[in-house]
Amino acid sequence: MSTGKRNSKQGISTRAIHLGYDPATEQGALTPPIYQTSTYAFETVEQGAEYFAGTKPGYVYGRTRNPTQALLEQRVADLEGAEAGLALASGMAAISATFWTILKAGDRVLVDKIVYGNSFTFFSKGLTRFGVETEFVDLSDPEALEKAAARPFNAVFFETPANPNLRVIDIAMVSAMARKAGAVTVVDNTFATPVLQRPLEHGADLVIHSATKYLGGHGDLLAGIVAGSEQQVKDIRMNGLRYLTGGTLSPLTAFLVLRGLKTLELRVMHHSKSAAAIVDFLGRQSEISNISYPALASNPAREIYQRQMTAGGGLICFELDGGITRGRTFMNALDLITRAVSLGDAETLIQHPASMTHASYGAEERAKHGISDGLIRMSVGLENTEDLLDDLEQALRRL
Ligand code: 3LM
């Protein structure tokens, strides 16, 4: 078959649909099977011992490896341009397994000031109980990073675009600074997905996903992924996953994420197109202010956005004049748009970070970290854009 680009890598959707699976190996089954098993039979005791010792490759036990997971790991790793991937039970399972593997007591980690609420709690109140020092730094400010990097550090963690306010961080700049210090750079790429941004291409070492969001894409599962070099991912599998967290993804859920991946590119492009139209509409409403969207011409990090991302994604933040009191009235007046946390689903979801996803920061910390109480976050779904615009318009009219 001639594709006209025979020697280049196939496109994202082609790889997300076909990579690593040949139906001929599974009795012609078009869809990869779900290996619903917890353990694996050894032909001989000697073979089992070799698998355990790692002198021969083979499946041993479902906590660390499963063929359905393996296909998912291979596909996401490929989309991210990584050597290897590891599937876990949730995004938090991926974050905790990663940092419990790469850090030890006495180490220091730099974390961006604006991250998902439970990631904030993991670094500020979780890891610190075990002798790890966490410093929150505004990683969008090179001078702040330089100042923090004056003391030795072992790892740096950030999201870009960040949850909730979609601030964009320069992956190449932070990764270069970390490499100079001998520290590992870990980027949470949940909001952008590998369709819009591939952090490893900009120098990051590990990329993390809450696959609960866009990768799964249908609001019906929890899953996490970490991808990076063969050696780093093996360490996380054999330490962070095997005995530190045990946060394994079930084979059935791995199958559902594989199904989601097939439409990832299509969905993310639609989410982005629809979100851009909604941003345009919101920008024309007098009572809406502080709109944040990575692709906006007024984004102070627009140059970084253009270097790093290919479209703006599906998330939008904004505030209503009159603050969150009017914001609540507005959100309660929506009919089609659903009040719910999470993101990346077919349904458009709207939520209030200060009282929901980022409540765990506490009021004082939110103020210190620049997460405003009036902020509203919307995850634009896959409904027809006109219907979403109609709903926003009628809710604004009822204010
Ligand atoms: C949310 N976020 O609504 P799981 N990394 C990022 C995330 O946004 C999330 C995780 C990791 C939300 C979930 S809040 C109660 C619902 C950037 C999750 C954690 O463990 O798969 O939920 O991923 O912002």
Side-chain angles (χ1 to χ4, degrees), residues 156-344:
V156 57
F157 174 78
F158 59 98
E159 303 165 356
T160 182
N163 187 356
N165 68 0
L166 309 174
R167 207 176 48 150
V168 170
I169 290 170
D170 187 339
I171 302 171
M173 185 274 287
V174 178
S175 304
M177 200 91 90
R179 187 162 313 107
K180 244 188 346 198
V184 180
T185 301
V186 185
V187 178
D188 185 327
N189 199 29
T190 299
F191 275 27
T193 84
V195 173
L196 303 181
Q197 168 180 279
R198 288 174 294 281
L200 303 189
E201 290 176 0
H202 300 278
D205 298 297
L206 289 166
V207 57
I208 283 183
H209 282 277
S210 168
T212 312
K213 319 300 184 207
Y214 290 103
L215 303 192
H218 295 78
D220 52 8
L221 59 87
L222 279 105
I225 296 275
V226 54
S229 76
E230 199 84 62
Q231 187 56 51
Q232 278 170 319
V233 169
K234 186 176 172 196
D235 277 354
I236 299 166
R237 186 190 299 279
M238 299 317 280
N239 297 293
L241 171 62
R242 183 173 55 164
Y243 62 79
L244 287 169
T245 67
T248 304
L249 184 67
S250 81
L252 176 60
T253 309
F255 166 82
L256 289 172
V257 182
L258 279 166
R259 186 163 72 168
L261 280 187
K262 292 184 183 188
T263 54
L264 179 68
E265 186 179 29
L266 271 176
R267 285 186 286 107
V268 168
M269 295 325 288
H270 184 91
H271 285 298
S272 296
K273 196 169 154 214
S274 204
I278 290 171
V279 164
D280 190 52
F281 166 82
L282 293 174
R284 284 183 273 110
Q285 309 308 311
S286 56
E287 44 215 327
I288 298 225
S289 56
N290 291 340
I291 301 171
S292 175
Y293 186 64
L296 262 183
S298 58
N299 177 3
R302 181 157 169 91
E303 182 270 323
I304 303 167
Y305 158 78
Q306 284 175 323
R307 220 174 337 111
Q308 256 171 218
M309 294 177 72
T310 50
L315 284 139
I316 304 169
C317 281
F318 55 92
E319 296 188 32
L320 260 94
D321 292 347
I324 198 53
T325 309
R326 281 185 94 218
R328 282 197 192 97
T329 311
F330 166 72
M331 285 190 275
N332 287 333
L334 292 163
D335 280 333
L336 176 64
I337 297 172
T338 307
R339 291 162 291 276
V341 295
S342 207
L343 55 115

Side-chain angles (χ1 to χ4, degrees), residues 59 65-75 85 87 237 254:
Y59 289 99
R65 232 186 276 271
N66 170 284
T68 315
Q69 278 168 14
L71 184 61
L72 171 63
E73 291 167 350
Q74 188 187 353
R75 285 196 181 160
R237 186 190 299 279

Side-chain angles (χ1 to χ4, degrees), residues 23-88:
T25 62
E26 297 289 353
Q27 317 211 44
L30 175 71
T31 301
I34 304 165
Y35 284 87
Q36 192 69 42
T37 187
S38 55
T39 195
Y40 303 86
F42 310 129
E43 280 182 34
T44 63
V45 176
E46 289 80 1
Q47 185 194 51
E50 283 179 325
Y51 289 177
F52 260 86
T55 49
K56 262 200 184 153
Y59 289 99
V60 169
Y61 185 63
R63 192 182 328 105
T64 47
R65 232 186 276 271
N66 170 284
T68 315
Q69 278 168 14
L71 184 61
L72 171 63
E73 291 167 350
Q74 188 187 353
R75 285 196 181 160
V76 178
D78 184 80
L79 297 185
E80 284 288 3
E83 284 175 11
L86 175 63
L88 297 105

Side-chain angles (χ1 to χ4, degrees), residues 114-115 162-166 191 317 351 353 357-358 371 375 377:
I114 296 173
V115 290
N163 187 356
N165 68 0
L166 309 174
F191 275 27
C317 281
Q351 65 112 5
T357 53
H358 291 69
I371 299 167
L375 196 75
R377 188 191 78 186

